Structures are given as structure tokens and as C-alpha cells.
Amino acid sequence: MSEVKVALALGSGAARGWSHIGVIKALEEMGVRINMVAGTSIGSLVGAGYASGRLAEIEQWVQGMSRWEVFNLLDFGFNQGGIIGGEKVFNHAREEFGQRNIEDLPITYGAVATDLYSGREIWLRKGDLYDASRASCAMPGVLSPKAFDGRWLIDGGLVNPVPVSLCRALGADFVIAVHLNSQLNSRAVEKRGRSIPPQTETEQLEKEKAEIERHAEDDNGFFDNLWSGSKEYLDSFKERFKSNGHKAPGMFSVMASSIDIMQERITKARMAGDPPDVLVQPKLGHIGIMEFYRGQEAIDIGYDTTTRMRDLIMDEIELYRERRG
């Protein structure tokens, strides 16, 4: 198969991206030689590990992640353009897996990011490997933008969630794409939106009303007037929740679901014009985008999905070889 230049297009999907590890392991077991890899967001991080020959170490790192270890890798800071700074986890990756420059890798590599101010799609093809993947992973509102080569860069998933086009530009003959967000699980989205039980909201409102009433009894002048308006407001507020059945989705739930929807639509549009030769779509809708501690589960799903496609993948590569002559 060495005469066919095979490329991997590893898509975005945050914690679901550990599935890429399983996909790559299955392809290697089939004997597919991968000559180049392009990644967007989490795909750029896994792709970086693979292109630098450290995928086994990254898999071991992912398998050992617990909720607490994931939390310890997050450097929270709201003044940096995102909830999480992001430097801590990528510096950890650099320390664990080695400082490498993209141009020195044994496998051709590229990452996709988005210019924050122009909206242009940026292909990162040189410089520090983990700085490039850090820029590609900068999910809006969650991970702060990354200064790279004179630009402020954010998540490449905003413009090219599954970078088939970059694979073609790198010189690929045959592209295997991995799309992580094909399964928008409405039940999972609904569950994530319910951060507290409905009755808890009502109980909180009752407490607030009782507190206002207590102050009204203590100060019969000003608080009598305040209570008359507040009671009407709180009663109407309660009625809205009674009719709705549960509280509105939280900020993070809205952000995560919106990004899921946006990337799915962009992926369909991009691949309609530039389809891969093989598309792998692990079913990962039940894994939340920040559930990085579910790495082994995601790896297994990626491996099993790709293994089931073995005959298709091998037949398509052989067919390409025959057509090219």
C-alpha cells in the first residue's frame, strides 16, 4: 500500500476526540500505512501524538485520567478570553511527550485553526507542535485564544471541523476522515440542560420570598412598599417555572450544544464539496464534550467502529490502486 499516500483527517469534538486513538489503532492493525495526518481541535492533539510517534504514551495518559486529574489540568481564568486558560494541559503534554517542531516530524502533519478577527481558515504547518494544537483547540468561550505567528487563533472547528481539504493540500491520494459529532443525542442534550431538579428552583424562590417578608415585618415603612412589588414579581416568576416544568439550560450547556450543532452543519457542507474516500463516524453522542475522563470508552468505540469497516476500507484502497494503474 506504500504507493498510495493515505491521509487521516481527524475531526473536532473535544472529549469525544479520544476516539481517534482507537481509530488509528484499528487502521494500524489492518496494515494501513498512514503517510500524513491533518487535525482540527482535539483531532490536532491526537494527530500530533501520532505524527510524533507518541500515540501509545498519549493513550496511556488518557486511560489514566480521572475526573480529579482532568480538573487539575484546567487553569481557570475568566480574564483570558475563555473559562480555561489552556496552557497547563498543553505544557503538560509537551513535558510528557517531548518538544517537537512540525517540520521535523516523521509523518506529514497539519492543524486547522481560525483567525479570530478575520475569520480566515489557518493551516498550521510549522513551529511548535503543541502550540499549533493548542491554537486549533481554542473552543470559543471555553478555551482562551492562542497567540501564534502574529495572529490570535481559535478553534478550527468553526471553519473546517473535519479537515479533508488540508489532507488533499498535503498531497494525499486517499483520505480517511473521522467525524465525531454525527450523533446529536437530543436526550443527552436535554439531560445536560437540567442542572438542578425543577422543585429546587421553586424552593429557592420560596426562601427568597420568606426573607423579603421577614425584612418587611422588621421595617414597616420602606419594606412594606418593597414587598408589595416583590411578591408580585416572585409569584409571576414561579408561574413561569411551573408551566415550563424545569429550569432553562445553563450557559455551558447552551454553548456546548450550539457548538455541536454548528460543527455538524459545517461538516456536512464542507464534505459535500470535498468528500473523503472513507468516512468513519463513531457513535459518541452520549459523551459530553468535557467528559475527558471517559477516554477508554471513547477509544473502544473508535476501535470497534473502524474494525467493523475493515472490508470497506481495504477494498476502497485496493480499488483506488487499480484505478490509478
Side-chain angles (χ1 to χ4, degrees), residues 201-213:
E201 186 71 36
T202 303
E203 290 168 1
Q204 180 62 29
L205 290 169
E206 290 289 350
K207 288 179 182 178
E208 291 175 4
K209 188 168 76 170
E211 184 70 11
I212 294 173
E213 190 171 14

Side-chain angles (χ1 to χ4, degrees), residues 132-291:
S133 60
R134 162 69 180 83
S136 182
C137 289
M139 186 185 299
V142 179
L143 200 64
S144 62
K146 175 67 177 178
F148 190 95
D149 197 23
R151 296 183 175 96
W152 282 105
L153 300 180
I154 54 176
D155 199 323
L158 295 174
V159 290
N160 196 355
V162 184
V164 176
S165 56
L166 177 52
C167 289
R168 304 287 186 200
L170 293 176
D173 297 321
F174 191 93
V175 178
I176 301 171
V178 186
H179 178 28
L180 304 175
N181 300 312
S182 63
Q183 189 187 38
L184 293 179
N185 189 320
S186 58
R187 286 181 298 175
V189 171
E190 184 180 4
K191 184 178 178 181
R192 287 199 299 269
R194 295 180 178 177
S195 57
I196 63 172
Q199 64 270 22
T200 306
E201 186 71 36
T202 303
E203 290 168 1
Q204 180 62 29
L205 290 169
E206 290 289 350
K207 288 179 182 178
E208 291 175 4
K209 188 168 76 170
E211 184 70 11
I212 294 173
E213 190 171 14
R214 184 179 65 81
H215 284 299
E217 292 172 353
D218 292 339
D219 297 284
N220 290 327
F222 173 75
F223 280 105
D224 279 343
N225 294 327
L226 174 65
W227 170 238
S228 63
S230 298
K231 183 178 184 301
E232 291 177 9
Y233 172 75
L234 289 171
D235 285 343
S236 66
F237 201 52
K238 276 176 59 179
E239 286 302 316
R240 290 207 302 272
F241 278 101
K242 284 180 181 177
S243 61
N244 196 18
H246 61 272
K247 66 168 291 188
M251 179 185 71
F252 188 79
S253 177
V254 172
M255 288 170 54
S257 298
S258 299
I259 290 170
D260 274 349
I261 294 167
M262 175 196 68
Q263 292 189 354
E264 169 64 2
R265 299 297 182 266
I266 294 172
T267 299
K268 286 181 177 178
R270 293 293 301 250
M271 288 199 296
D274 191 7
D277 297 282
V278 171
L279 178 61
V280 181
Q281 301 188 93
K283 301 304 181 185
L284 300 159
H286 62 289
I287 297 179
I289 64 170
M290 294 301 288
E291 292 180 332

Side-chain angles (χ1 to χ4, degrees), residues 15-34:
R16 299 166 190 160
W18 299 142
S19 186
H20 289 313
I21 297 173
V23 173
I24 295 171
K25 288 177 64 179
L27 291 172
E28 287 186 328
E29 287 183 7
M30 295 176 198
V32 177
R33 181 180 175 186
I34 301 167

